[in-house]
Amino acid sequence: MCGIVGYIGKQDATPIIIDGLGRLEYRGYDSAGVAVIKDSQIHLRRDVGKLSNLRQKVALDPISGSIGIGHTRWATHGVPAERNAHPHVSMDGEFVVVHNGIVENYLELKDELISEGIEFKSDTDTEVIVQLIERFAHNGARGNLTEATRKAVQFLRGAHAIVVMNREKPDELVAVRIGNAGGVAIGLGEDENYIASDIPAILEHTRRMIFLESRQIATITASSVHIQTLDGQPISHEVHDIPYDPVSAAKGEFKHFMQKEIFEQARSLTDTIRGRIDFEQGEAILPDLNLTRERARALDRMVTVACGTSYYSGLVGKFFIEHMARLNVEVDYGSEYRYRDPIIDEHTAVLAITQSGETVDTLAAMEEAREKQATLWSIVNAVGSQAMRVSDGYITMNAGPEIGVASTKAFTASIVDQYLLALHLGGLRGTLTTEQQRQYAHDLGLLPDLVGRALETEPQIKELAALLHHYTDFLYLGRGINYPIALEGALKLKEISYIHAEGYPAGEMKHGPIALIDEQMPVLCIALKDSLYEKMVSQIEQAKARGGIVIAIATEGDTFIASKADHVLYVPDTPHLLSPVVAVIPLQLLAYHVALRRGADVDQPRNLAKSVTVE
Ligand code: AGP
């Protein structure tokens, strides 16, 4: 998705903005630009492609100023081209804007503005915003950038994050947030202030941040921040102290963020668990959930809404919560939920799982739940994100910044968060004995070490990737609590190696898909030593009988499986409910190494973005 960075203060804005955009590269983009104001003139540099192209353009033809805005664009309206890159300047050259989101009614607005004599230079929807601002500035709001902007955005339909400057008022930036088109964070410095669509962009400069809520507008100078609602009511705002350490976002000794984040999981899961388990009492400690015993006992169902990898995490969590808390759990896609008029009432809890906390489909599902009086929870990694702020209660993943577009450590952290939630609900609802609680808590304490041992299979997986990377179709099979891991393993391979891969419930193969299996198809089978082991062995035999290349994910010490499968990747014996967290590790590593073999851009796969803030 698009990235926004702004600055106003005593330093040169240009390098701050371009470096900030560099920290948002993982969000996916196809062009970039920066604008500064100097001597009452707007100076603009834009280019298509990677940020390095913009850096080179600025190096050859420098611009500097103490106020500026920048943007990385992921094309929605208008092809990736210099003329369509942000920032966009108004016709008279007085105003300049960057924008995340989609102006759903831009065609009618553009026609109206053209009929008033406005000349457009781009194919984008964004340009109508800057032309509208200029129109209102010339009609009654001259010299008042906030007022002109406030009036202009009333005409926009859709979700937006907008930052605008006026060359006549080089001492202020104005920022607007409407809906969930990505965040607007305002970073507070000493006689300087920052704006960003995502925290990492400005974290090295300040940890003190204000987050705009939907339908709010901010007037930012080097020494002040004033926020009001779009209908002009001044409002107070909370200053968050963000705990992220920017250093940990560096790659360290790893080649890619994704590899680093896969290997971080033993530590990040320790962070996820830390302080949240009383091992003596077997109790989960989740104060941010704001859940009372009465409320927990009044619930009669829970719905989990999420997208992509987070949806697969929800499928795993369903097993925990139904088993421990005896609460019926339905899991639905964030992009589907709001279109089926879901049955929700005051006895329903809706849990949103979202690493970024900004996925527009998941946020929309949360709004649906809120409107229907559900208790709204979220599991998020991005502190201060929209999903977290609109929830009645939340559980943070504490996985640290996840930069690789393909989610790994956030996935396992969100599974552990649901395990904690299930334990917490079970305790409050009285569906677990103290002994059971202690056992589940003990099992969780083993997990980081078990994950660390699973990571030791990397050398074997690198060799396996060398054998498999040229195949074009893969099948991933699992049963029970590990069926979602088959889905996640397939998604990991798809999204970073661009190989077609399908996750499937193993028991469903005989109802059609088994026709796909031949000598050209690797078949990943999750066959851990659990109650479904024999059925998975039978599945492996069926796949082998059709020539499939079978790779089994098996439990250490299971020598029998080696007589059935072509390749075996062993993981340590793990308590059943937590086995998905360990089983996914070799699948993450396999996807990573196959993608490397294929020369794919592992951290920024084509067509993908880390946070999908458009529908
Ligand atoms: C995961 O590898 C993908 N990048 C994608 O499916 C992601 O999980 C999905 O877009 C949801 O993102 P969220 O967790 O930030 O809401």
Side-chain angles (χ1 to χ4, degrees), residues 528-601:
L528 305 181
K529 277 286 196 172
D530 57 21
S531 60
L532 296 167
Y533 175 74
E534 282 74 22
K535 294 194 183 301
M536 282 309 297
V537 170
S538 161
Q539 194 64 56
I540 287 172
E541 288 168 335
Q542 292 172 39
K544 284 296 294 170
R546 287 149 182 88
I549 306 157
V550 176
I551 302 95
I553 310 298
T555 304
E556 278 171 3
D558 175 5
T559 53
F560 174 70
I561 202 92
S563 66
K564 299 291 180 181
D566 297 292
H567 307 278
V568 182
L569 297 172
Y570 285 107
V571 294
D573 190 14
T574 301
H576 176 62
L577 285 180
L578 291 166
S579 62
V581 177
V582 169
V584 76
I585 300 299
L587 302 184
Q588 293 171 341
L589 288 168
L590 182 64
Y592 173 73
H593 284 291
V594 168
L596 275 194
R597 283 271 170 183
R598 293 171 70 98
D601 185 347

Side-chain angles (χ1 to χ4, degrees), residues 253-254 257-268 408-409 451-452 454-459 585 588-589 592-593:
E253 74 273 16
F254 297 99
F257 281 118
M258 181 181 179
Q259 186 188 27
K260 170 179 171 283
E261 288 151 10
I262 290 171
F263 277 88
E264 269 183 347
Q265 289 177 105
R267 183 184 61 74
S268 58
T408 50
K409 63 177 183 174
V451 166
L455 288 165
E456 291 166 8
T457 55
E458 185 184 38
I585 300 299
Q588 293 171 341
L589 288 168
Y592 173 73
H593 284 291

